Amino acid sequence: RVLFRSRVWKIHQISNPYEVVRFQNILHFLGTKSGNTVLDAGCGGGTYTRILARAQLLIAVDVSFNAVKTAKQSLVSEDNVFFIVCDLEHLPIRDMAVDRVACIDVLEHVKRPQKAVNEMSRVLRSNGQMLLFAACGENRFTLEYMLKPFFGKIINSIRSILGHVSIFTTQSLRRMLSQDFVIARIEYMHHWAGWLFKFCWDATHVNSPEGHQSQFEASGSSLSRILWLPLEAEYELFKSRSFGTEIIVNAVKKNPVR
């Protein structure tokens, strides 16, 4: 496990410890089977498109032309990746054309998330898999939920700056997916206890020579190894607890009822 984490950090030069959790989930989601067609629903600038490109065929879509342009430039050498500028409510993809859908940090930016989920379901084959990351700050006992009575205007302003137009709870996401999907696994990250650990990390990690990127030195400084322990513990201990502000959903599309 240590070697795996070390390689993920060094190969992708991740600057946030919690990104390791994302990359691990994406790698597990992709699996070892070849021949899969994957939809990157809301690729943005290509942060996760790079790792999803391990699929035999990857269709990456985003509503922003500039974001797609950036993602395309970063993956110019990949001939198995096709980019489309479109919104998630109107995917120019035929029914049941893809084997897996990854929707990472996107639904909170969509005004009509249910329609986007329905459209992603339409293009996903029966028994196909969906990986979903979404903000769930409305869950009880999340930091946002507890502070909202006192700092509601500030929290709403931050959400507006981040472009979060839809905020979810676990229950609302379950309802949204229930028609077409069976939820296989739900986990949470970014628990309020972890923010202290993240602050310690951000205050002490060392920038790479390139300047803006950082690496986790798995075999390097003692400080890095010490700080990793509470970060790992925070996720492992609380991943099943709903007071994390981000939810990770693994779901499987139901077979159509005949």
Side-chain angles (χ1 to χ4, degrees), residues 43-46 66-78 81-83:
C43 65
N66 289 333
V68 168
K69 182 179 178 181
T70 300
K72 196 170 184 179
Q73 289 171 346
S74 68
L75 288 152
V76 67
S77 61
E78 303 290 343
V81 183
F82 296 87
F83 292 93

Side-chain angles (χ1 to χ4, degrees), residues 44-56:
T47 302
Y48 306 107
T49 312
R50 292 178 298 157
I51 194 166
L52 289 168
R54 296 182 178 209
Q56 184 179 31

Side-chain angles (χ1 to χ4, degrees), residues 197-240:
F197 302 142
K198 183 180 182 300
F199 174 79
C200 293
W201 177 277
D202 290 342
T204 56
H205 78 278
V206 181
N207 287 331
S208 67
E210 288 79 5
H212 65 283
Q213 292 179 318
S214 305
Q215 300 182 47
F216 174 63
E217 301 292 347
S219 60
S221 70
S222 298
L223 181 60
S224 293
R225 291 198 298 272
I226 291 170
L227 284 175
W228 173 256
L229 294 177
L231 285 164
E232 180 182 33
E234 182 264 325
Y235 172 68
E236 292 296 335
L237 285 172
F238 301 122
K239 63 184 179 182
S240 63

Side-chain angles (χ1 to χ4, degrees), residues 32-230:
T32 57
K33 295 181 180 180
S34 60
N36 285 325
T37 299
V38 176
L39 171 65
D40 184 359
C43 65
T47 302
Y48 306 107
T49 312
R50 292 178 298 157
I51 194 166
L52 289 168
R54 296 182 178 209
Q56 184 179 31
L57 176 64
L58 177 64
I59 304 170
V61 305
D62 200 278
V63 71
S64 168
F65 174 84
N66 289 333
V68 168
K69 182 179 178 181
T70 300
K72 196 170 184 179
Q73 289 171 346
S74 68
L75 288 152
V76 67
S77 61
E78 303 290 343
D79 58 3
N80 64 321
V81 183
F82 296 87
F83 292 93
I84 304 174
V85 178
C86 66
D87 64 71
L88 293 186
E89 297 180 12
H90 306 91
L91 295 172
I93 302 172
R94 63 180 174 82
D95 295 358
M96 294 191 289
V98 303
D99 302 298
R100 301 171 194 265
V101 174
C103 186
I104 304 172
D105 295 339
V106 175
L107 275 189
E108 55 265 38
H109 300 280
V110 178
K111 290 183 178 180
R112 294 183 290 183
Q114 182 66 70
K115 191 168 182 179
V117 168
N118 293 345
E119 187 69 350
M120 287 186 282
S121 173
R122 179 186 65 79
V123 303
L124 182 63
R125 67 169 174 80
S126 298
N127 293 318
Q129 296 183 39
M130 172 184 279
L131 175 64
L132 174 68
F133 284 74
C136 58
E138 289 298 309
N139 275 340
R140 294 184 65 186
F141 305 118
T142 62
L143 188 61
E144 288 181 44
Y145 180 88
M146 292 189 293
L147 293 179
K148 196 170 182 180
F150 310 100
F151 304 102
K153 290 184 178 180
I154 295 175
I155 290 172
N156 289 334
S157 295
I158 293 172
R159 288 175 175 174
S160 178
I161 292 169
L162 294 174
H164 290 186
V165 295
S166 298
I167 307 298
F168 306 104
T169 63
T170 303
Q171 290 73 24
S172 65
L173 278 172
R174 282 185 180 276
R175 287 194 298 269
M176 197 178 302
L177 295 170
S178 62
Q179 180 177 345
D180 294 332
F181 293 91
V182 174
I183 295 177
R185 183 168 60 95
I186 288 180
E187 291 183 355
Y188 303 87
M189 59 188 289
H190 291 305
H191 298 83
W192 51 261
W195 289 107
L196 175 61
F197 302 142
K198 183 180 182 300
F199 174 79
C200 293
W201 177 277
D202 290 342
T204 56
H205 78 278
V206 181
N207 287 331
S208 67
E210 288 79 5
H212 65 283
Q213 292 179 318
S214 305
Q215 300 182 47
F216 174 63
E217 301 292 347
S219 60
S221 70
S222 298
L223 181 60
S224 293
R225 291 198 298 272
I226 291 170
L227 284 175
W228 173 256
L229 294 177

